[in-house]
Amino acid sequence: MAFTRIKGTQDFLDLSLYNFFIKKAKDHMRLYHFSEIATPLIEPVELFQRSLGEQSDIISKEMFLIASGENKEEHICLRPEGTAPAVRAFIENNIQQTPWKVFLYGPMFRYERPQKGRYRQFQQFSMEVIGSAAIAQDAQFIKMLERLFHETLHFNNFTIDLNFLGCLDDRIVYRDVLYQFLTSPKAADICETCKVRREKNIMRVFDCKSPVCQEIYKNAPYIADHLCSDCASEWQELQDELDLLSVSFSYRPSLVRGLDYYSKTVFEFSSGLLGAQNAFCGGGRYDMLAKELGAKEDQPSIGAAIGIERLLLLLEIMKDHLPIEQEPALHLIIPLGAEQKKLGLLLADELQAQGLVADILLEGASVKSMMREANKMGAAYCLLLGEDEQKTGTITVKNMVTGAQESVAQIDVVSYLKK
Ligand code: HAM
């Protein structure tokens, strides 16, 4: 029986678009003075239980758990996201210089129901500013993302949704207000899932997909209308600064995001071209997370993560217009007989040593089939080595685009090809 991929995972056989994105994103982050870090793929389960919240979808049903150690007592998991690990690294490595502006990228794991744009192993490009309370930081951060998509990747088909969740005190007050609404006759017809969420993780009711519930929530009280005076002025400041930086956004009062650590600013970038899973980047402020994870002091922070697969689905549509680096020209060496193979090997070795991309056909077949193979491989030049060439110390170089053929002395071939 042949093996197949684990459900919800993918093989990537052409990484040109992925590499293009990673290079552009890294360059962009350096422009904003971020540095790259890497953290392990495995982390203690409790790190995420504490940060994302027991009631979040990730903790309640999507964790990839690994029981390890001799007594299977070590509770390890595959990381479902990159923020808690970055904060753990900040605390554990005793970083003193704040704000700590870092990014990391790589695979994340969530046991979700797979569909287009939603996988069990997927890639995130995750960016964090740890240790900065200034709301202007949020405006700059959102502008940085907008510029990455808009100017650096030339992608315009997206919207930015924004909401403000206030501070902890605001949410304590607001939860009561929302609870009253959800238990009033106005909300009598909400679905069973929303009734459970009302009791356990009340703000998540807004994520419900049911049109009946969504109609009811149009009349719900929203948190941005129940902010303390400090938060209200920060919310206003954020909107003013985004205007100042010419960032277009929509206020989406029902945007709450699924993870417990958020406070104040939350946002999502989404595109109608993606279908049901339309958010390709999401983030927000997490002012209380560091202390929750053991830091001595609060470290107000903001961050976001790009879902790389979803972004690639979008870039794929416009791939032909992107300045993706061309593969360098392939020089294919074709020994026409068994006797020329050794000479072919030496020639390939010399070309590669001189920095020219070279390959050699070693499975000797007819000239015709080898030329067909060369075409399939996309060779720019074929270097033919037959008995005559061997005797005369030459190579027949065939330009595969023009079809022109030239005899070149073996000792001159590198300089000929470099020209
Ligand atoms: P998140 O919204 O859970 O946030 O994920 C960020 C992005 O990752 C989503 O917008 C989506 O594009 C992508 N994504 C999430 N789950 C999947 C999946 N199963 N398959 C494919 N793509 C997926 C976070 O993870 C936060 N850590 C972001 C953050 C950083 N907040 C502050 N700092």
Side-chain angles (χ1 to χ4, degrees):
M1 190 194 70
F3 288 102
T4 54
R5 289 188 302 272
I6 301 285
K7 199 174 168 194
T9 65
Q10 301 181 91
D11 295 319
F12 292 92
L13 305 181
D14 176 357
L15 288 173
S16 54
L17 203 53
Y18 172 84
N19 288 333
F20 167 77
F21 164 70
I22 294 292
K23 175 158 188 345
K24 289 284 179 190
K26 280 185 175 186
D27 290 350
H28 190 75
M29 296 312 290
R30 288 199 190 100
L31 206 62
Y32 284 80
H33 197 215
F34 282 65
S35 44
E36 183 175 353
I37 60 165
T39 59
L41 298 196
I42 50 176
E43 294 277 2
V45 181
E46 215 190 326
L47 174 67
F48 300 104
Q49 285 168 336
R50 283 251 214 109
S51 50
L52 310 184
E54 293 290 350
Q55 297 305 323
S56 64
D57 285 352
I58 299 182
I59 297 300
S60 60
K61 53 187 188 206
E62 295 172 358
M63 292 291 274
F64 274 92
L65 302 172
I66 306 168
S68 51
E70 265 175 19
N71 304 318
K72 308 270 177 246
E73 274 167 3
E74 215 176 340
H75 294 290
I76 294 176
C77 64
L78 296 176
R79 64 181 182 189
E81 59 105 57
T83 307
V87 175
R88 189 227 6 95
F90 173 85
I91 302 166
E92 187 170 355
N93 294 289
N94 199 17
I95 306 292
Q96 298 296 328
Q97 180 74 26
T98 55
W100 197 47
K101 296 168 83 172
V102 292
F103 68 92
L104 64 91
Y105 67 94
M108 308 290 161
F109 304 84
R110 298 182 191 177
Y111 195 83
E112 304 209 61
R113 197 165 46 78
Q115 62 184 92
K116 185 184 166 209
R118 193 204 262 159
Y119 311 99
R120 290 185 174 167
Q121 176 176 332
F122 60 100
Q123 305 253 346
Q124 276 187 347
F125 194 95
S126 193
M127 302 143 276
E128 318 292 345
V129 178
I130 298 177
S132 175
I135 283 294
Q137 190 78 253
D138 305 23
Q140 198 195 21
F141 192 89
I142 295 170
K143 174 71 192 185
M144 170 183 82
L145 292 168
E146 192 244 21
R147 175 166 284 148
L148 171 65
F149 303 129
H150 192 76
E151 291 174 31
T152 310
L153 300 172
H154 308 285
F155 174 63
N156 298 313
N157 204 321
F158 64 84
T159 49
I160 304 174
D161 288 324
L162 187 67
N163 195 13
F164 205 80
L165 303 181
C167 58
L168 189 60
D169 290 345
D170 290 345
R171 281 200 301 287
I172 292 171
V173 173
Y174 172 69
R175 279 193 194 115
D176 278 347
V177 176
L178 183 59
Y179 191 82
Q180 274 170 28
F181 171 81
L182 292 173
T183 46
S184 74
K186 285 185 212 153
D189 293 334
I190 58 171
C191 71
E192 289 308 310
T193 313
C194 283
K195 284 182 185 153
V196 174
R197 283 184 173 164
R198 178 182 68 194
E199 304 304 319
K200 292 196 161 166
N201 194 5
I202 191 161
M203 285 166 72
R204 290 289 316 284
V205 294
F206 292 121
D207 288 340
C208 183
K209 294 272 184 290
S210 147
V212 177
C213 294
Q214 282 307 328
E215 198 51 40
I216 292 170
Y217 299 148
K218 281 184 186 159
N219 298 313
Y222 290 127
I223 186 146
D225 301 322
H226 291 82
L227 300 174
C228 64
S229 64
D230 285 353
C231 283
S233 62
E234 284 188 329
W235 172 217
Q236 190 55 51
E237 180 191 334
L238 175 63
Q239 296 173 78
D240 292 346
E241 284 165 351
L242 286 171
D243 284 341
L244 177 78
L245 295 170
S246 310
V247 177
S248 310
F249 61 89
S250 311
Y251 163 48
R252 176 146 63 97
S254 61
L255 176 67
V256 291
R257 299 199 28 83
L259 314 174
D260 267 11
Y261 52 59
Y262 290 114
S263 52
K264 299 187 179 176
T265 310
V266 284
F267 55 86
E268 261 173 22
F269 287 66
S270 51
S271 173
L273 299 175
L274 280 173
Q277 304 303 321
N278 61 0
F280 60 91
C281 174
R285 210 163 238 293
Y286 49 96
D287 286 355
M288 287 151 322
L289 182 56
K291 222 167 178 184
E292 190 65 40
L293 296 181
K296 285 195 196 77
E297 286 165 33
D298 268 337
Q299 295 292 347
S301 307
I302 178 161
I306 298 170
I308 298 182
E309 284 81 359
R310 292 189 197 170
L311 186 69
L312 294 187
L313 286 172
L314 296 169
L315 295 183
E316 184 70 45
I317 300 168
M318 39 180 284
K319 193 175 179 182
D320 294 344
H321 305 287
L322 293 173
I324 297 175
E325 241 175 69
Q326 294 281 312
E327 290 288 321
L330 168 64
H331 304 88
L332 187 63
I333 296 155
I334 304 184
L336 296 176
E339 301 74 29
Q340 285 85 43
K341 272 191 187 159
K342 286 198 174 114
L343 182 58
L345 277 179
L346 279 175
L347 181 62
D349 187 51
E350 177 61 12
L351 261 53
Q352 288 149 348
Q354 297 295 332
L356 293 169
V357 178
D359 204 346
I360 175 167
L361 287 188
L362 291 168
E363 317 300 324
S366 72
V367 179
K368 211 169 147 195
S369 68
M370 285 199 282
M371 292 311 284
R372 221 181 296 130
E373 185 65 20
N375 265 321
K376 265 201 252 161
M377 290 166 76
Y381 294 94
C382 283
L383 279 64
L384 301 155
L385 283 174
E387 257 175 53
D388 284 353
E389 284 85 355
Q390 194 164 19
K391 267 190 221 140
T392 54
T394 58
I395 298 167
T396 302
V397 180
K398 182 171 171 135
N399 181 323
M400 297 297 281
V401 180
T402 63
Q405 223 164 269
E406 221 175 313
S407 174
V408 180
Q410 283 170 16
I411 49 165
D412 295 335
V413 77
V414 169
S415 56
Y416 173 87
L417 292 172
K418 281 197 169 173
K419 258 201 310 203

